[in-house]
Amino acid sequence: MFDAPAPGQMFRSLAVATSLALLSSCAEAPAQKPASAPLPQASQPAAKTPAAPAQAPVVMPAISFNDWRDGFRREALANGIDASLFDRAFAGITPDPTVITADRSQPEFTRPVWEYLEGAMSTYRVRKGQALIAEHAATLDAIEQRFGVDREPLVAIWGMESSFGQFMGDKSVIRSLATLAYEGRRPAFAHEQLLAALQILQHGDIQPASMLGSWAGAMGQTQFIPTTYNSHAVDFDGDGRRDIWNSSADALASAAHYLQASGWRKGQPAALQVQLPAGFDYAHADADIRKSVAQWQAMGVQVSPQAASLAGESASLLLPAGHRGPAFLVLDNFRAILKYNNSSSYALAVSLLGERFDGGGQIVGNWPRDERPLSRSERVELQESLSAAGYDPGSADGIIGANTRKAIRGYQQRLGWPADGFPTQKLLENLRLQ
């Protein structure tokens, strides 16, 4: 499930698609590498301009796959995995080269946040979600009662993660994770997930041939990684199995269980669109700066009358496209969604899509559609240039995280520009001139 995927945390330790690069600043694309949560699959922003993906250096393992598998087998058995189950799960398993290609791909281009949100809230997705809310009303009633999680954002997550169960991934989870544990960039993480996947099989929830998912090992209608599955998956339909692949009740209840554990507050919005006063200090648009809604209002931030009951709630200011675009106050439920997928664009999409199911979620204001997002190469150049100018953006990895935004704000303040921490072509050009 923008910020350094950070995914993320809930189910995010390994992400699920090919977009490792985040969109600029707070308008990043859904994180591809969650820390321990489900992973968005069908909703990943696609590259706007075709380009050959940059490849990370290839470091081949020192041992053969068979030797690695035999060593992992000994460890799995020592951790309680049945020998016959292991052998059945690994029958015919060989490294999957397409998984390694996906793992090493770093897309050069990303879509601007407004295009991502428009895709997330497509007419089809809104109408399909509305129909499913009506169809599964009784189940959603029971889930709300048990977990205290509102149905609209829950169904929005369902739509974002797998297009309501239509696109869950068709790769063997065991093969994908074995490949990543053997020669991926994050072998320790994949190793942990692979052991957890075997525990799922041993529990009897799914058979090896049916345990399918993304190249990164995210599974089912809610795209859980195995460790998240083991800690939060729920048998809600009462058939004795936690089946997030074939049971929408189990999948939705499992996601609700995770959001509940992440601090979800029933009946409260995740984000409020607001209007900022003239001369506002945009440096306050920082996820680490939290004020009560009343304190934001005292600073001139205009909130809708419907938000009167939220005056005492803690909120941060989000500018997903910088000071030229719409502004939002984001609350505790937004932060709960971030634990599912540590991307502010994803969390905003879930919030707005959930509101759209009830006829809301309309964005007031204009996006800076003339602003072309920086490519990955340009983001790396921006970070290197900021460092050369005496600011500390962190490592030049092309990810616009908290350190890079802080460095951008410092440079913007030096220029006398609105210090919104948002990377732009104009900012990069100015750094080039220096």
Side-chain angles (χ1 to χ4, degrees), residues 137-153:
T139 297
L140 292 167
D141 284 342
I143 289 174
E144 284 188 354
Q145 182 175 5
R146 177 170 169 183
F147 297 106
V149 175
D150 304 271
R151 68 191 63 199
E152 293 83 5

Side-chain angles (χ1 to χ4, degrees), residues 1 10-11 38 143 147-158 224 228 232 252-266 332-341 346 350:
M1 22 179 128
M10 156 181 176
F11 312 105
I143 289 174
F147 297 106
V149 175
D150 304 271
R151 68 191 63 199
E152 293 83 5
L154 190 61
V155 172
I157 286 176
W158 189 20
F224 277 18
T228 297
H232 290 90
L252 290 167
S254 298
H257 187 204
Y258 186 84
L259 290 175
Q260 178 194 51
S262 300
W264 187 269
R265 301 179 65 183
K266 188 175 186 300
D332 286 342
N333 286 350
F334 192 90
R335 290 185 275 273
I337 300 170
L338 287 178
K339 291 179 181 178
Y340 199 102
N341 181 333
Y346 174 88
V350 167

